[in-house]
């Protein structure tokens, strides 16, 4: 299994540009999520999905869109990039949600810079 | 809203010193608990996890953590640190039976550990 994969690894955008960060998992996990990591802030949840066709907002959803058309893929879209979205983005997945013995697996991250 | 507090922002130790990193959370119900480590330039790796049972859990690389339910704490320990332990450490809590987003992890802000050779 490849686990959780993310592309691209690095990206530089100009203010106002749009782009999609890709996330895929091959573990047949129901639950997927996106976090952003900023210095001194830990990881904060952007959006999450408990299954194909179901998404919901996390702590910091503004400026981001998600969709979940398949179990495997959970792309994160930046609609109009802003410098405040400069961050490292992590995708994660787990078999299910809200139960004991449930561990999330993280992808390698995408480092995004918005100029 | 639920929260996770890591008391130390930056800890500096010499090699062979003992380590204890504090983590407290605010949820009063059942939780899954995790410690992750992030080495410079790398992604998150799971150090250890607690789901139930023995409150003293052992993880990789000689780390352990103790869950004290009455104190809402999950402190990370290592008896003797090495230079290679230099990294950032994150405590994370998954509150169960809490609202609709039960799978979500709540992270602390992290503790940077610098180990001097």
């Amino acid at each position: 299994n490849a686990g959780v994969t993310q592309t691209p690894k690095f990206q530089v955008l100009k203010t106002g540009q749009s782009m999609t960060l890709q996330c895929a998992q091959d573990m047949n996990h129901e639950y997927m999520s996106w976090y952003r990591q900023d210095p001194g802030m830990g990881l904060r949840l952007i959006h999450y999905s408990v299954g194909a066709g179901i998404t919901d907002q996390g702590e910091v959803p503004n400026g981001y869109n998600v969709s979940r058309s398949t179990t495997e893929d959970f792309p994160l879209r930046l609609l109009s990039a802003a410098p405040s979205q400069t961050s490292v983005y992590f995708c994660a997945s787990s078999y299910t949600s809200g139960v004991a013995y449930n561990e999330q697996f993280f992808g390698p991250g995408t480092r995004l810079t918005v100029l | 809203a639920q929260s996770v507090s890591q008391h130390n922002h930056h800890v500096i130790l010499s090699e062979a010193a003992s380590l204890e990193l504090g983590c407290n959370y605010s949820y009063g119900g059942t939780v899954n608990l995790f410690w992750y480590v992030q080495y410079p330039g790398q992604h998150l790796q799971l150090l250890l996890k607690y789901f139930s049972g023995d409150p003293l859990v052992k993880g990789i690389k000689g780390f352990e953590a103790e869950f004290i339910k009455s104190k809402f704490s999950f402190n990370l320990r290592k008896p003797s640190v090495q230079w290679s332990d230099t990294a950032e450490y994150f405590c994370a809590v998954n509150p169960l039976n809490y609202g609709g987003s039960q799978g979500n992890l709540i992270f602390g802000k992290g503790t940077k550990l610098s180990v001097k050779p």
Side-chain angles (χ1 to χ4, degrees):
Chain A
N1 285 352
V4 180
T5 58
Q6 292 183 237
T7 56
K9 201 167 184 178
F10 300 96
Q11 183 70 51
V12 178
L13 291 178
K14 294 182 180 177
T15 297
Q17 286 185 315
S18 63
M19 79 158 295
T20 300
L21 307 184
Q22 301 291 345
C23 174
Q25 51 88 12
D26 61 358
M27 298 175 281
N28 201 31
H29 284 172
E30 289 183 348
Y31 178 89
M32 297 185 74
S33 56
W34 277 101
Y35 296 87
R36 60 177 289 172
Q37 182 184 22
D38 302 293
M41 301 295 291
L43 277 78
R44 293 178 292 170
L45 183 67
I46 305 172
H47 285 285
Y48 65 96
S49 167
V50 297
I54 307 169
T55 64
D56 207 344
Q57 297 180 350
E59 181 185 354
V60 288
N62 291 344
Y64 307 95
N65 252 357
V66 291
S67 60
R68 183 100 178 266
S69 55
T70 67
T71 301
E72 295 78 19
D73 301 298
F74 191 44
L76 178 73
R77 296 183 189 83
L78 279 70
L79 308 172
S80 177
S84 60
Q85 294 177 303
T86 293
S87 188
V88 181
Y89 292 85
F90 290 99
C91 179
S93 74
S94 63
Y95 177 66
T96 184
S97 62
V99 297
Y101 309 98
N102 192 41
E103 176 188 339
Q104 289 195 28
F105 296 84
F106 282 82
T110 294
R111 186 174 293 274
L112 175 68
T113 302
V114 183
L115 303 175
Chain B
Q2 304 306 321
S3 63
V4 177
S5 298
Q6 291 184 241
H7 313 300
N8 307 102
H9 177 63
H10 192 185
V11 173
I12 302 172
L13 296 174
S14 297
E15 274 195 318
S18 63
L19 170 72
E20 180 159 3
L21 301 183
C23 173
N24 286 89
Y25 60 94
S26 61
Y27 183 62
T30 305
V31 292
N32 294 329
L33 298 162
F34 306 87
W35 275 97
Y36 288 89
V37 61
Q38 187 176 34
Y39 298 102
Q42 296 190 24
H43 61 94
L44 288 170
Q45 299 178 37
L46 182 67
L47 263 184
L48 48 78
K49 59 194 175 192
Y50 172 81
F51 292 145
S52 67
D54 188 343
L56 185 62
V57 293
K58 296 194 183 299
I60 61 172
K61 305 186 181 187
F63 286 91
E64 64 179 31
E66 185 176 14
F67 170 48
I68 303 179
K69 189 174 182 179
S70 61
K71 294 185 178 180
F72 302 95
S73 70
F74 190 54
N75 292 354
L76 181 71
R77 299 196 290 248
K78 185 171 184 178
S80 176
V81 295
Q82 301 173 320
W83 176 79
S84 58
D85 294 323
T86 294
E88 191 160 15
Y89 294 80
F90 294 94
C91 180
V93 175
N94 172 208
L96 304 183
N97 305 313
Y98 175 71
S101 55
Q102 296 179 64
N104 297 336
L105 281 177
I106 304 167
F107 281 85
K109 293 185 177 181
T111 298
K112 287 186 181 176
L113 173 64
S114 298
V115 180
K116 297 184 291 184

